[in-house]
Amino acid sequence: MQLNEFSSHLQEICAVIYRAAKEKIESAVIVLYISIIMTENMTNIHDRFFRETFSRREIASGFLETYLPEEIRSQLRLDTLEIVKDSFVDKELREHYSDITYTVRFRDMRLYLYLLFEHKSFPDPLTGFQLLRYIVRLGEMHFRQNPRSKTFPPVFPMVFYHGRSRWNIPDSFESLTGLREDCPLRTYIPAFRFRVYDILSSAG
């Protein structure tokens, strides 16, 4: 992606962040972007910009409060929001994907909020598979840190999509199998949905 193209994308992302955070932070995000392009090549800009921006508590809280489904958001305690430093995206894929993970109290439990930033030109049909891999890695991290835990932690997966065409693929993992809904095999495959935020659809 060329610099001028990314700059136009930056304006759209800043508009999303501005609406979500409900405060005038757009200029601060642009300054962050400028400082990054002075030190990074174009392959790394997306990853670092996304991670550093959404590592800011006020931006993360504002985005989650604005764009999470009401039935989830209303039961979160956003004052308990914490950022997990680990990234689960393979290094060779960071030109197209970035990620960030949060923990927050949901009801009386700890919930992981996993946000995958997809900056490809077109929706990737295998996004659900990528999410499955990263959710498993998140679970592995959880069990390493909590060796006495006997339950898999709940994970709410989200995709922040910023491509040239609108998101037009199913937001569920099981759709990847191509199995009909009445196929008995569907009972035995992983089944989860993910929340998609499509900047292009939101803008227009």
Side-chain angles (χ1 to χ4, degrees):
M1 178 177 290
Q2 298 299 315
L3 183 60
N4 59 349
E5 183 181 354
F6 183 74
S7 296
S8 65
H9 286 191
L10 170 71
Q11 296 176 8
E12 297 173 2
I13 295 174
C14 284
V16 172
I17 294 170
Y18 179 83
R19 291 196 300 270
K22 300 182 178 66
E23 56 182 281
K24 296 183 178 180
I25 57 175
E26 187 169 346
S27 60
V29 174
I30 293 175
V31 169
L32 173 63
Y33 162 70
I34 292 174
S35 70
I36 290 174
I37 65 173
M38 295 293 288
T39 58
E40 299 282 349
N41 59 49
M42 287 305 295
T43 299
N44 297 330
I45 285 178
H46 272 113
D47 180 64
R48 187 175 169 196
F49 174 76
F50 173 77
R51 288 186 60 80
E52 291 199 16
T53 300
F54 281 86
S55 290
R56 298 190 176 196
R57 186 185 182 92
E58 69 277 13
I59 293 176
S61 295
F63 178 82
L64 295 170
E65 185 175 6
T66 303
Y67 297 114
L68 281 178
E70 170 62 22
E71 63 271 21
I72 302 294
R73 184 198 60 77
S74 62
Q75 300 187 68
L76 291 181
R77 286 186 49 197
L78 286 174
D79 60 315
T80 66
L81 187 71
E82 296 181 6
I83 297 168
V84 177
K85 298 300 183 182
D86 303 63
S87 173
F88 303 102
V89 174
D90 300 290
K91 289 183 179 180
E92 63 270 20
L93 295 178
R94 289 183 184 173
E95 182 179 357
H96 301 297
Y97 294 101
S98 306
D99 68 341
I100 194 163
T101 307
Y102 308 100
T103 63
V104 67
R105 298 302 298 179
F106 175 78
R107 297 179 178 175
D108 60 347
M109 68 185 72
R110 185 188 195 193
L111 171 68
Y112 285 96
L113 299 168
Y114 182 77
L115 179 57
L116 180 68
F117 183 27
E118 182 173 325
H119 36 84
K120 287 188 172 184
S121 297
F122 304 96
D124 185 350
L126 295 181
T127 295
F129 177 65
Q130 298 290 355
L131 284 169
L132 178 63
R133 296 176 63 208
Y134 304 147
I135 290 170
V136 170
R137 292 177 184 178
L138 196 160
E140 291 172 342
M141 178 200 72
H142 170 79
F143 288 120
R144 285 195 305 270
Q145 296 176 349
N146 305 273
R148 295 185 179 181
S149 176
K150 302 300 181 183
T151 58
F152 194 92
V155 179
F156 186 86
M158 299 173 286
V159 175
F160 190 108
Y161 170 69
H162 191 223
R164 296 172 185 167
S165 62
R166 296 180 187 275
W167 185 274
N168 57 3
I169 60 177
D171 57 355
S172 64
F173 174 80
E174 58 266 41
S175 65
L176 290 176
T177 66
L179 296 174
R180 294 166 51 97
E181 290 190 6
D182 59 353
C183 178
L185 290 175
R186 288 177 67 96
T187 305
Y188 301 96
I189 62 172
F192 67 88
R193 304 185 72 87
F194 48 93
R195 183 78 168 182
V196 177
Y197 179 78
D198 181 354
I199 290 182
L200 190 62
S201 293
S202 176

